[in-house]
Coordinates of all heavy atoms in Angstrom, one line a residue:
Q448 N -41.2 18.6 58.1 CA -41.7 17.6 57.2 C -41.4 18.0 55.8 O -41.1 17.1 54.9 CB -43.2 17.4 57.4 CG -43.6 16.8 58.7 CD -45.0 16.7 59.0 OE1 -45.8 17.7 58.8 NE2 -45.5 15.6 59.5
A449 N -41.4 19.3 55.5 CA -41.1 19.7 54.1 C -39.6 19.4 53.7 O -39.3 19.5 52.5 CB -41.4 21.2 53.9
L450 N -38.8 19.1 54.7 CA -37.4 18.9 54.5 C -37.1 17.6 53.8 O -36.1 17.3 53.2 CB -36.6 19.0 55.8 CG -35.1 19.2 55.8 CD1 -34.9 20.7 55.4 CD2 -34.5 18.9 57.1
I451 N -38.1 16.6 53.9 CA -37.9 15.3 53.4 C -38.4 15.0 52.0 O -39.5 15.4 51.7 CB -38.6 14.3 54.4 CG1 -38.2 14.6 55.9 CG2 -38.4 12.8 54.0 CD1 -36.7 14.4 56.1
D452 N -37.6 14.3 51.3 CA -38.0 13.9 49.9 C -38.3 12.4 50.0 O -37.4 11.6 50.2 CB -36.8 14.1 48.9 CG -37.1 13.6 47.5 OD1 -38.3 13.1 47.3 OD2 -36.2 13.7 46.7
E453 N -39.5 12.0 49.8 CA -39.9 10.6 49.9 C -39.2 9.7 48.9 O -39.2 8.5 49.0 CB -41.4 10.5 49.8 CG -42.2 11.1 51.0 CD -43.7 10.8 50.9 OE1 -44.1 10.1 49.9 OE2 -44.4 11.3 51.8
H454 N -38.8 10.3 47.8 CA -38.2 9.6 46.7 C -36.7 9.8 46.7 O -36.1 9.7 45.6 CB -38.8 10.0 45.4 CG -40.3 9.9 45.4 ND1 -41.0 8.7 45.5 CD2 -41.3 10.9 45.4 CE1 -42.3 8.9 45.5 NE2 -42.5 10.2 45.5
A455 N -36.1 10.1 47.8 CA -34.6 10.5 47.8 C -33.8 9.3 47.3 O -32.8 9.5 46.6 CB -34.2 10.8 49.3
A456 N -34.1 8.1 47.7 CA -33.3 6.9 47.3 C -33.4 6.7 45.8 O -32.4 6.5 45.1 CB -33.8 5.6 48.0
K457 N -34.6 6.8 45.2 CA -34.7 6.7 43.8 C -34.0 7.8 43.1 O -33.3 7.5 42.0 CB -36.2 6.7 43.4 CG -36.5 6.5 41.9 CD -36.0 5.2 41.4 CE -36.4 5.0 39.9 NZ -35.9 3.8 39.4
G458 N -34.1 9.0 43.6 CA -33.5 10.1 42.9 C -32.0 10.0 42.9 O -31.3 10.3 41.9
A459 N -31.4 9.5 44.1 CA -30.0 9.3 44.2 C -29.5 8.2 43.3 O -28.4 8.3 42.7 CB -29.6 9.1 45.6
A460 N -30.3 7.1 43.2 CA -29.9 6.0 42.3 C -29.9 6.4 40.9 O -29.0 6.1 40.1 CB -30.8 4.8 42.5
T461 N -30.9 7.2 40.5 CA -31.0 7.7 39.1 C -29.8 8.6 38.8 O -29.2 8.5 37.7 CB -32.3 8.4 38.8 OG1 -33.4 7.5 39.1 CG2 -32.4 9.0 37.4
W462 N -29.5 9.5 39.7 CA -28.3 10.4 39.6 C -27.0 9.6 39.4 O -26.2 9.9 38.5 CB -28.2 11.3 40.8 CG -27.0 12.2 40.8 CD1 -26.8 13.3 40.0 CD2 -25.9 12.1 41.6 NE1 -25.5 13.8 40.3 CE2 -25.0 13.1 41.3 CE3 -25.5 11.2 42.6 CZ2 -23.7 13.3 41.9 CZ3 -24.3 11.3 43.3 CH2 -23.4 12.3 42.9
L463 N -26.8 8.6 40.2 CA -25.6 7.8 40.1 C -25.5 7.1 38.8 O -24.5 7.0 38.1 CB -25.5 6.8 41.3 CG -24.9 7.3 42.6 CD1 -24.9 6.1 43.6 CD2 -23.4 7.7 42.4
D464 N -26.6 6.5 38.4 CA -26.7 5.7 37.2 C -26.4 6.6 36.0 O -25.6 6.3 35.1 CB -28.0 5.0 37.0 CG -28.1 4.1 35.8 OD1 -27.2 3.3 35.6 OD2 -29.0 4.3 35.0
D465 N -27.0 7.8 36.0 CA -26.8 8.8 34.9 C -25.4 9.3 34.9 O -24.8 9.5 33.8 CB -27.8 10.0 35.0 CG -29.2 9.6 34.7 OD1 -29.5 8.5 34.2 OD2 -30.1 10.4 35.1
L466 N -24.9 9.5 36.1 CA -23.5 10.0 36.2 C -22.5 9.0 35.6 O -21.6 9.3 34.8 CB -23.1 10.3 37.6 CG -21.7 10.8 37.9 CD1 -21.5 12.2 37.2 CD2 -21.5 11.0 39.4
A467 N -22.7 7.7 36.0 CA -21.8 6.7 35.4 C -21.9 6.6 33.9 O -20.9 6.4 33.2 CB -22.2 5.3 36.1
T468 N -23.1 6.7 33.4 CA -23.3 6.7 31.9 C -22.6 7.9 31.3 O -21.9 7.8 30.3 CB -24.8 6.7 31.6 OG1 -25.4 5.5 32.2 CG2 -25.0 6.6 30.1
Q469 N -22.8 9.1 31.8 CA -22.3 10.3 31.2 C -20.8 10.4 31.2 O -20.2 10.8 30.2 CB -22.9 11.5 32.0 CG -24.4 11.7 31.8 CD -25.0 12.7 32.8 OE1 -24.2 13.3 33.6 NE2 -26.3 12.8 32.8
I470 N -20.2 10.0 32.3 CA -18.7 10.2 32.4 C -18.0 9.2 31.5 O -16.8 9.4 31.1 CB -18.2 10.1 33.8 CG1 -18.4 8.7 34.4 CG2 -18.7 11.2 34.7 CD1 -17.8 8.5 35.8
W471 N -18.6 8.1 31.2 CA -18.0 7.1 30.3 C -18.4 7.2 28.8 O -17.9 6.5 27.9 CB -18.3 5.7 30.8 CG -17.5 5.3 32.0 CD1 -18.0 5.3 33.3 CD2 -16.1 4.9 32.1 NE1 -17.0 4.9 34.2 CE2 -15.8 4.7 33.5 CE3 -15.1 4.8 31.1 CZ2 -14.6 4.3 33.9 CZ3 -13.8 4.4 31.6 CH2 -13.6 4.1 32.9
A472 N -19.4 8.1 28.5 CA -19.9 8.3 27.2 C -18.8 8.7 26.3 O -18.1 9.7 26.6 CB -21.1 9.2 27.2
G473 N -18.6 8.1 25.1 CA -17.7 8.5 24.1 C -16.2 8.2 24.5 O -15.3 8.8 23.8
T474 N -16.0 7.4 25.5 CA -14.6 7.1 25.8 C -13.9 6.1 25.0 O -12.7 5.9 25.0 CB -14.5 6.7 27.3 OG1 -15.3 5.5 27.5 CG2 -14.9 7.8 28.3
G475 N -14.8 5.4 24.2 CA -14.2 4.3 23.3 C -13.5 3.3 24.1 O -12.4 2.8 23.6
V476 N -14.0 2.8 25.2 CA -13.3 1.8 26.0 C -13.3 0.5 25.2 O -14.3 0.0 24.7 CB -14.0 1.6 27.3 CG1 -13.4 0.4 28.1 CG2 -13.9 2.8 28.2
Q477 N -12.1 -0.1 25.0 CA -12.0 -1.3 24.2 C -11.5 -2.5 25.1 O -11.3 -2.3 26.3 CB -11.0 -1.1 23.1 CG -11.4 0.0 22.1 CD -12.7 -0.3 21.4 OE1 -12.8 -1.4 20.9 NE2 -13.6 0.7 21.3
G478 N -11.4 -3.6 24.5 CA -10.9 -4.8 25.3 C -11.9 -5.8 25.5 O -13.0 -5.8 24.8
E479 N -11.7 -6.7 26.4 CA -12.6 -7.8 26.6 C -14.0 -7.4 27.1 O -14.9 -8.2 26.9 CB -12.0 -8.8 27.6 CG -11.8 -8.2 29.0 CD -11.3 -9.2 30.0 OE1 -11.0 -10.4 29.6 OE2 -11.1 -8.9 31.2
K480 N -14.2 -6.2 27.6 CA -15.5 -5.8 28.0 C -16.0 -4.7 27.1 O -16.8 -3.9 27.6 CB -15.4 -5.3 29.5 CG -15.1 -6.4 30.5 CD -15.3 -6.0 31.9 CE -15.0 -7.2 32.8 NZ -15.2 -6.8 34.2
Q481 N -15.7 -4.7 25.9 CA -16.1 -3.7 25.0 C -17.6 -3.7 24.7 O -18.2 -2.8 24.3 CB -15.4 -3.8 23.6 CG -15.6 -5.1 22.9 CD -14.8 -5.2 21.6 OE1 -14.2 -4.2 21.2 NE2 -14.8 -6.3 21.0
E482 N -18.3 -4.9 25.0 CA -19.7 -5.0 24.9 C -20.5 -4.5 26.1 O -21.7 -4.5 26.2 CB -20.1 -6.4 24.6 CG -19.6 -6.9 23.2 CD -20.2 -6.1 22.1 OE1 -21.4 -5.8 22.1 OE2 -19.4 -5.7 21.2
V483 N -19.7 -4.0 27.1 CA -20.3 -3.6 28.4 C -20.6 -2.1 28.3 O -19.8 -1.3 28.0 CB -19.4 -4.0 29.6 CG1 -20.0 -3.5 30.9 CG2 -19.2 -5.5 29.6

Side-chain angles (χ1 to χ4, degrees):
Q448 293 174 315
L450 201 72
I451 305 300
D452 177 5
E453 292 184 3
H454 308 290
K457 180 63 176 177
T461 299
W462 173 74
L463 273 180
D464 184 53
D465 289 347
L466 180 63
T468 300
Q469 292 165 8
I470 62 175
W471 287 101
T474 57
V476 177
Q477 301 295 316
E479 62 179 1
K480 295 192 177 184
Q481 61 183 351
E482 294 299 317
V483 177

